[in-house]
Each structure stands twice: as structure tokens, then as C-alpha cells.
């Protein structure tokens, strides 16, 4: 077996045996279910706990099913990303800090295989989680609010998947760069938050930006995004991911000497 | 040509020299002990040869292609892998042929005495078992050069004995470079001694060469009683070191010649039980080398 | 909204929650060390809904 295969098997066993393979999808599924359920029961909950005077009539606009899906994505943008960052912040930094990486680095290790195996496993779990979560949310939304066009949902999930892959890549590069898991998480979150702020403030000037992927994902439920803008953005994101992968391989090789011996 | 030749090896961290122009060569199928006080650069030297650290200056020339085997002082394993899974992964990354991986891993684990624990998770291993697994991963791909950082210092005497015996049996077809601060081990298995002090190689040679250089033979006088020894000591004839009823007389330039000693002893009535000669132990040499500027 | 439909809707949530808790507890028992005392994590996993097991996996467990 080639090194990539060997290392991917190691990553698989790791994610299986420390339960990441189970708990990360579970979190995304829970978030996916909670959003439609809490939206549906919100009036009743307020009704039962609120000390509203008898006879008060509160009007809650019933959300469109598509809005619920977009709200799920909103939850992923907060809690989902946080979970992914925390779950994979130590992928490389933690191995170096604990010294488990030393016995790998002392061998004729291909850092390309090393980094890519980690990226592959983290990406698979992240995408699996997001899609299972969207499907669970889609089902609950269908039960409680009505149906959504399946193709729209697939386009929506597909577009958001580009963004998730980019996030996973950023986390892994940060983990290769930083001396410990905590700093890697701080850097990842910093990069994500700051770039979102910048794009939020100045983004009106450029339609092609990975940070607009969430907006374009949501746009599929309306009239659809501008196709040229969308494809340029998707292409740019893929290119950015590829560049970050090369950078991550280079950094993890250059920083190998920082492993605890 | 030697199996490995190290020339002017230097490692500096922000201007501090951890290893300072170290040169030596390892001949095939020999064991070399790297000794020196804590912080003398033993681990740094081994790490550079293992390829984990990049040297600041100097060169490391290998006369072989296959990988080296490296055992750090505190080997860390992925706790969720079993001993067999870990050893197989190590073998595969080191390029062991796919069909031979299982067999070679099993045989190696058997060899280090983990034959009955192959399917146990390494997270549950005791210190002794970790050291054995560390050795297994270092030799599973049958490297020509084995680098061991304090391979036995964390073990109890029985475990130390066993691992030393394993290492000695490996010596027949492997070149071994190991660091240790347990000098009995170094004395037991060494063709070459390298003394490091503050990053510098201050002494090197075979055990007998080094011993000759630091020989400083002495005469040991065993008295029948401690009192007799004390009495002899109080006469202050020569520099002497008393340990209870034994007095040692260093035969240095300032000390007495053997002839003089015998002349004095011929007229001595204070119950001498025995006389013999003794050469310095490695431990004494170590203290001397470590102490000299 | 009838009670029974509500229960049916929430059943998967309860199952996932229970699954997370069981996975976390099994792991806690098998693992030799945690960050912080083991008993504390046991309490957190059982008492704090959903978040407890996740906190354990992210913070309490020594992953590397």
C-alpha cells in the first residue's frame, strides 16, 4: 500500500476510535432538526411560558420552508464551524506537541501523503455531517412547513460544500502552522471571522468571493445566483483550496522539526 | 568507507550552540555509546542523524539507502492503535514490502517480548511495554543503522537487563549508536565511546583506549581494621583516598612510585590484609571528563 | 398539535442525544486519563443535555 493509503487508514481508525465519525455528524443532525422544530413550536412555547394577559393575540409569521433551510445554514455558520474548528484544530499541531508525530517524521515520510490523508478524512467527515444535517433538516421542514424542490436543496448543499471544504482546509493549514491546538483554533476562527467582516463591509464591490458562497447557496431558493458570479466564485474557491493545500504540505514539512522528541 | 560519517556537525539555537563541531564515524556492525551529562547535546545529535532536525552546519554522510531506526527517550504512540497496527504502519511507511508487513511485524513484536500483547491498545501499555514497542518500531524495517536515545534509562533493573540483551543480539547485523547515562551499560556494549560535553566531543575512542588515556592506575591497600587504615592515612606520606579500611594511592606524577610504596610497606607493622592494582572505572573517567574544562 | 405527534417528532432527537451520551460514557470508562477529573466529566456528560457529551469529546478527551 502506498503511504497515502496507509496514512488514510490511520486517520480513519483515529476518527472512528475517538468517535469523531459519530459525534460530529450527530451535532450537525441535531442542529438540522432543532431549527425547524423550534421554529414550529416557538408560538406554543411562548404561549405556555409567557405571562401574557388573557386574550393577547400574537401574530407569528410562518416561515417559508426555504427560509428554515437557510436558518439551518446560519446555525452551521456559528456552531457548526466552531465544532469543525475544535474537532480538527489539533490534527497536526497536537501530534507534534504530544510527540506522536516523532515516530512518523523519523521515517521516510511523504508530507504530501501525510497532510492530504488528514485533509481527506476531515473533509469526508465534515461533508458527511453537513449533508446528513441538511437532509434531516429537510425532512423535518417538509413535515412541519411544506416541501422544497429537491434540486434546489441539492444546489444549496453543493454550494455550501465548497465553503465547508475551504474551512476544513484553513483549519488544517493553521494546525500545521501553529505550535498547539488552541492557537490553531484561534487562528482559524480569526481568519474566518475577519474575512467575513471584511467581505461584509466591502464585499459589495466584488461579486467573486468564497465568502459569498453562503449567500449564493441561499439564492438558489429564490431566483438563483448570477451564474457567472457563482461559477467564478466556485472556481476561485477551488483554486484557493488547492493553494492552501500546497502551503499546508510545505508548512507541515518545514515545521516537522518542532515535534517533541 | 564507514557506514556513517559525521563531519563538523553543529546545531545552534539563537546563537547558542547545542552541538558544536562534532565529528565521528560509525563502522559497520559496531556499537557506539554516546555519553555525557544532561544537556550535553546527545539527543540533538541523535535527532539530526535521524533526520528530525536540520543541522546548522556540517555534514552527515550515509553509505546506505535504507532508513534508520530511531527510538526516542520517551516514545509516544497513538493510544487508539494496537501494538500490531502501529508496528505495521511503521513498517509500511518505512517501505517494507506489502506482503511481508504482517509477518515481519509479528516477528519483531515477538522478538521484543510483546508477542502476547499484539492486539492491545498502546494507550494501555506500561513504561516497559512502551520501551519494547519503541524498539520494535525502530527495527521492524531492518534498518542498517539504529539510533537509540537512552534506551534503558527509564526501566527497572530486570527490564534494563532484558533490553540490553536484545540490543546485544541485534548488534550482530546492525550498527548501533545509542546515548546513555548509565555507564555500566556503556561499558557492556561498546566498540566506540563518544563523550559529549556542552555540545563538544571531548573524548572519543574504544573503551580500552579511553581507559588507557585516563588510566591513572592506583595501588589499593586493604587494612585489617579501619583504625589501622586511619592511622596510616594520618601519616600523610602521599596523597591518598581512604574509604573505610581501604586506602587508594594514585600512581600519578606527584604521587609515589611503586618502589617507594613497597619500601614503606616492608617496614609496616599495621596489619595490611592485601595489596592490589586497580585501573579507573568508566564512571570515574566520566566524572573526570565532565569536570575538566 | 397532539402530544403524540410531538413525541414522534422529538424521538430522533432523544435517540441521538442518548447515543451521544452512551458513546461518551463508554469512552470515558475506557480512557485512562482525561483533562480534569474523570468523575466531573461523568457528571457533565449525564447532566448537561447534548452539550455535555460534545464538551467531553472536544475538551475533556485527550485526543492526541
Amino acid at each position: 500500500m502506498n503511504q497515502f493509503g496507509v496514512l488514510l487508514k490511520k486517520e480513519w481508525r483515529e476518527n472512528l476510535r475517538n468517535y469523531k465519525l459519530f459525534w460530529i455528524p450527530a451535532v450537525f443532525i441535531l442542529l438540522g432538526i432543532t431549527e425547524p422544530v423550534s421554529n414550529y413550536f416557538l408560538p406554543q412555547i411562548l404561549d405556555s411560558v409567557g405571562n401574557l394577559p388573557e386574550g393577547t393575540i400574537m401574530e407569528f409569521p410562518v416561515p417559508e420552508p426555504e427560509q428554515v433551510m437557510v436558518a439551518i445554514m446560519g446555525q452551521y455558520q456559528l456552531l457548526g464551524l466552531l465544532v469543525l474548528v475544535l474537532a480538527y484544530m489539533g490534527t497536526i499541531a497536537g501530534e507534534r506537541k504530544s510527540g506522536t508525530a516523532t515516530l512518523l517524521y523519523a521515517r521516510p515520510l511523504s508530507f504530501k501523503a501525510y497532510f492530504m490523508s488528514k485533509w481527506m478524512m476531515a473533509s469526508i467527515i465534515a461533508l458527511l455531517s453537513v449533508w446528513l444535517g441538511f437532509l434531516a433538516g429537510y425532512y423535518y421542514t417538509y413535515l412541519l412547513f411544506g416541501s422544497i424542490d429537491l434540486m434546489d436543496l441539492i444546489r444549496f448543499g453543493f454550494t455550501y460544500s465548497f465553503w465547508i471544504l475551504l474551512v476544513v482546509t484553513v483549519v488544517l493549514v493553521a494546525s500545521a502552522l501553529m505550535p498547539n491546538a488552541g492557537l490553531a483554533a484561534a487562528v482559524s476562527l480569526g481568519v474566518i471571522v475577519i474575512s467575513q467582516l471584511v467581505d461584509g463591509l466591502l464585499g459589495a464591490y466584488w461579486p467573486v468571493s468564497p465568502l459569498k458562497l453562503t449567500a449564493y447557496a441561499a439564492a438558489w431558493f429564490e431566483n438563483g445566483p448570477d451564474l457567472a458570479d457563482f461559477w467564478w466564485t466556485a472556481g476561485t474557491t477551488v483554486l484557493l483550496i488547492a493553494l492552501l493545500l500546497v502551503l499546508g504540505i510545505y508548512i507541515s514539512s518545514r515545521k516537522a522539526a518542532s515535534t517533541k522528541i | 568507507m564507514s557506514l556513517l560519517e559525521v563531519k563538523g556537525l553543529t546545531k545552534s539555537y539563537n546563537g547558542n550552540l547545542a552541538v558544536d563541531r562534532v565529528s565521528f564515524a560509525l563502522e559497520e556492525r559496531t556499537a557506539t555509546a554516546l555519553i555525557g551529562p544532561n544537556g550535553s547535546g546527545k539527543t540533538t545529535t541523535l535527532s539530526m542523524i535521524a533526520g528530525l532536525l536540520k543541522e546548522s552546519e556540517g555534514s552527515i554522510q550515509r553509505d546506505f539507502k535504507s532508513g534508520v531506526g530511531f527510538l526516542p527517550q520517551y516514545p509516544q504512540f497513538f493510544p487508539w492503535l494496537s501494538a500490531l497496527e502501529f508496528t505495521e504502519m511503521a513498517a509500511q511507511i518505512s517501505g517494507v514490502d506489502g506482503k511481508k508487513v504482517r509477518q515481519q511485524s509479528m516477528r519483531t513484536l515477538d522478538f521484543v517480548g510483546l508477542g502476547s500483547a499484539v492486539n492491545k491498545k498502546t494507550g494501555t501499555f506500561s513504561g516497559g511495554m512502551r520501551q519494547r514497542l519503541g524498539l520494535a518500531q525502530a527495527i521492524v524495517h531492518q534498518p542498517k543503522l539504529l539510533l537509540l536515545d537512552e534506551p534503558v534509562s527509564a526501566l527497572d533493573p530486570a527490564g534494563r537487563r532484558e533490553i540490553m540483551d536484545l540490543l546485544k543480539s541485534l548488534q550482530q547485523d546492525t550498527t548501533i549508536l545509542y546515548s546513555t547515562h548509565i555507564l555500566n551499560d556503556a561499558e557492556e556494549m561498546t566498540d566506540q565511546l563518544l563523550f559529549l560535553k556542552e555540545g563538544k566531543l571531548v573524548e572519543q575512542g574504544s573503551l580500552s583506549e579511553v581507559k588507557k588515556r585516563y588510566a591513572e592506575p592506583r595501588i589499593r591497600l586493604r587494612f585489617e581494621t579501619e583504625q589501622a587504615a586511619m592511622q596510616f592515612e594520618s601519616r600523610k606520606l602521599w596523597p591518598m583516598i581512604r574509604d573505610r579500611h581501604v586506602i587508594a594511592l594514585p600512581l600519578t606524577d606527584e604521587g609515589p612510585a611503586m618502589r617507594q610504596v613497597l619500601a614503606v610497606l616492608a617496614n609496616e607493622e599495621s596489619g595490611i590484609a592485601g595489596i592490589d592494582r586497580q585501573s579507573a572505572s568508566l564512571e570515574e573517567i566520566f566524572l573526570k571528563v565532565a569536570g575538566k574544562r | 398539535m397532539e402530544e403524540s405527534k410531538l413525541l414522534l417528532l422529538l424521538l430522533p432527537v432523544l435517540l441521538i442525544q442518548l447515543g451521544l451520551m452512551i458513546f461518551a460514557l463508554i469512552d470515558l470508562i475506557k480512557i485512562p486519563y482525561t483533562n480534569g477529573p474523570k468523575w466531573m466529566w461523568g457528571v457533565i456528560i449525564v447532566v448537561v443535555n447534548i452539550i455535555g457529551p460534545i464538551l467531553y469529546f472536544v475538551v475533556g478527551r485527550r485526543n492526541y
Side-chain angles (χ1 to χ4, degrees):
Chain A
M1 215 190 298
N2 60 12
Q3 282 203 7
F4 178 75
V6 172
L7 291 165
L8 189 62
K9 194 165 165 186
K10 173 229 166 216
E11 292 301 317
W12 165 256
R13 282 171 169 154
E14 173 165 6
N15 281 277
L16 181 71
R17 292 177 189 172
N18 63 25
Y19 302 103
K20 279 185 188 156
L21 188 58
F22 305 107
W23 73 259
I24 299 174
V27 171
F28 279 83
I29 291 172
L30 281 175
L31 289 175
I33 295 178
T34 316
E35 194 59 33
V37 169
S38 59
N39 260 300
Y40 187 81
F41 290 110
L42 190 63
Q44 278 162 293
I45 294 167
L46 283 185
D47 202 28
S48 62
V49 294
N51 301 318
L52 299 170
E54 204 59 33
T56 312
I57 297 164
M58 291 184 67
E59 284 294 330
F60 285 97
V62 177
E64 295 293 318
E66 287 83 0
Q67 287 178 321
V68 179
M69 288 311 295
V70 174
I72 294 175
M73 182 170 72
Q75 291 292 319
Y76 289 0
Q77 283 297 87
L78 285 171
L79 297 171
L81 294 193
L82 187 66
V83 160
L84 287 179
V85 168
L86 292 177
Y88 290 105
M89 60 188 180
T91 308
I92 293 170
E95 272 188 5
R96 284 195 304 238
K97 186 139 197 279
S98 69
T100 49
T102 304
L103 295 180
L104 299 180
Y105 295 175
R107 298 175 184 281
L109 179 76
S110 149
F111 280 91
K112 192 171 152 196
Y114 177 70
F115 189 86
M116 289 308 290
S117 65
K118 290 177 177 302
W119 178 80
M120 183 71 91
M121 200 65 229
S123 298
I124 289 173
I125 291 182
L127 289 182
L128 181 81
S129 305
V130 165
W131 278 95
L132 286 178
F134 277 155
L135 287 178
Y138 173 72
Y139 180 66
Y140 270 74
T141 305
Y142 164 74
L143 287 182
L144 300 173
F145 296 97
S147 65
I148 299 172
D149 180 50
L150 191 62
M151 272 319 285
D152 282 351
L153 179 83
I154 288 171
R155 290 193 188 101
F156 165 77
F158 182 70
T159 308
Y160 190 63
S161 297
F162 282 102
W163 168 249
I164 286 295
L165 281 180
L166 181 61
V167 169
V168 169
T169 313
V170 166
V171 176
L172 259 74
V173 172
S175 190
L177 187 65
M178 290 289 121
N180 63 53
L183 282 175
V187 165
S188 312
L189 290 173
V191 166
I192 295 168
V193 169
I194 290 171
S195 56
Q196 274 175 337
L197 278 178
V198 170
D199 198 79
L201 283 174
L202 307 168
Y205 300 109
W206 55 78
V208 175
S209 150
L211 295 143
K212 299 222 161 48
L213 281 166
T214 48
Y216 291 158
W220 289 112
F221 292 131
E222 316 263 322
N223 302 321
D226 182 290
L227 276 183
D229 286 349
F230 167 71
W231 284 113
W232 273 106
T233 297
T236 309
T237 308
V238 170
L239 193 71
L240 188 57
I241 289 173
L243 284 176
L244 284 172
L245 289 178
V246 173
L247 187 68
I249 292 164
Y250 175 74
I251 294 174
S252 53
S253 155
R254 281 299 299 272
K255 288 249 164 178
S258 65
T259 186
K260 193 181 122 204
I261 299 170
Chain B
M1 188 188 153
S2 316
L3 186 88
L4 185 95
E5 211 168 323
V6 171
K7 280 186 195 153
L9 192 64
T10 300
K11 182 75 191 176
S12 61
Y13 294 103
N14 312 322
N16 294 325
L17 289 168
V19 174
D20 187 2
R21 283 162 291 164
V22 167
S23 301
F24 61 87
L26 302 180
E27 301 305 324
E28 210 163 345
R29 296 193 181 82
T30 58
T32 300
L34 196 55
I35 57 183
N38 286 338
S40 58
K42 302 189 294 279
T43 299
T44 311
T45 303
L46 287 172
S47 304
M48 282 190 279
I49 298 172
L52 282 164
L53 283 181
K54 184 95 184 81
E55 60 272 17
S56 307
E57 271 168 62
S59 68
I60 301 167
Q61 283 182 339
R62 295 181 190 178
D63 187 28
F64 59 101
K65 283 210 169 67
S66 68
V68 298
F70 178 55
L71 171 60
Q73 187 173 1
Y74 305 106
Q76 300 296 327
F77 309 99
F78 301 104
W80 32 265
L81 283 182
S82 74
L84 181 61
E85 286 165 349
F86 185 82
T87 312
E88 286 190 345
M89 180 178 75
Q92 284 165 323
I93 294 176
S94 288
V96 173
D97 185 44
K99 296 180 205 104
K100 293 190 190 150
V101 167
R102 171 59 55 92
Q103 186 204 2
Q104 218 159 298
S105 302
M106 287 298 284
R107 212 174 44 205
T108 309
L109 287 169
D110 245 358
F111 172 75
V112 300
L114 288 176
S116 57
V118 290
N119 290 322
K120 274 183 119 181
K121 298 277 192 296
T122 63
T124 65
F125 274 22
S126 66
M129 291 167 87
R130 298 173 72 83
Q131 211 61 19
R132 283 162 202 274
L133 181 58
L135 185 59
Q137 63 80 31
I139 62 175
V140 67
H141 52 299
Q142 301 173 332
K144 277 203 153 178
L145 174 63
L146 195 52
L147 306 168
L148 312 163
D149 195 3
E150 299 277 358
V152 294
S153 58
L155 300 176
D156 60 25
R160 186 179 298 167
R161 177 80 269 133
E162 271 182 73
I163 299 284
M164 280 310 286
D165 287 343
L166 288 179
L167 292 180
K168 275 196 259 178
S169 70
L170 283 170
Q171 213 194 331
Q172 287 156 8
D173 39 24
T174 318
T175 304
I176 301 177
L177 172 63
Y178 69 107
S179 71
T180 184
H181 69 262
I182 297 169
L183 296 155
N184 284 340
D185 297 341
E187 212 151 355
E188 199 175 311
M189 183 183 83
T190 178
D191 300 300
Q192 184 181 209
L193 275 174
L194 302 172
F195 272 87
L196 278 179
K197 189 191 164 194
E198 289 165 7
K200 291 191 182 67
L201 195 56
V202 288
E203 218 28 88
Q204 88 186 92
S206 72
L207 184 61
S208 59
E209 277 170 6
V210 171
K211 276 201 169 178
K212 210 177 280 171
R213 216 169 295 153
Y214 285 85
E216 190 175 285
R218 16 173 100 158
I219 303 171
R220 259 171 21 126
L221 305 174
R222 260 183 305 118
F223 289 83
E224 277 163 353
T225 61
E226 199 167 332
Q227 247 160 348
M230 278 160 74
Q231 209 175 12
F232 189 83
E233 187 188 22
S234 67
R235 284 157 65 188
K236 294 187 174 154
L237 293 167
W238 310 291
M240 54 179 102
I241 309 150
R242 188 180 62 83
D243 180 19
R244 294 183 28 214
H245 65 289
V246 177
I247 285 182
L249 303 171
L251 293 179
T252 56
D253 293 346
E254 311 91 66
M258 183 66 111
R259 190 172 41 82
Q260 290 172 292
V261 178
L262 290 176
V264 170
L265 293 180
N267 301 321
E268 189 61 47
E269 286 166 4
S270 50
I272 290 179
I275 306 177
D276 53 30
R277 279 186 60 136
Q278 188 198 28
S279 65
S281 74
L282 193 51
E283 187 152 345
E284 287 169 281
I285 296 175
F286 176 85
L287 291 174
K288 215 181 243 177
V289 175
K292 90 170 182 195
R293 292 294 313 176
Chain C
M1 186 98 213
E2 328 88 84
E3 295 278 301
S4 63
K5 193 178 170 195
L6 174 70
L7 223 61
L8 219 57
L9 276 172
L10 289 178
L11 194 64
V13 178
L14 291 175
L15 284 179
I16 292 173
Q17 206 175 317
L18 199 69
L20 273 177
M21 193 165 94
I22 290 170
F23 271 130
L25 283 177
I26 290 174
D27 190 60
L28 183 68
I29 291 165
K30 285 207 299 198
I31 209 164
Y33 303 104
T34 49
N35 296 321
K38 259 190 161 193
W39 62 264
M40 177 189 83
W41 284 110
V43 172
I44 290 175
I45 290 167
V46 175
V47 174
V48 187
N49 263 342
I50 307 181
I51 311 288
I54 293 167
L55 265 183
Y56 166 70
F57 281 123
V58 173
V59 185
R61 195 174 198 285
R62 292 190 182 177
N63 284 313
Y64 305 98

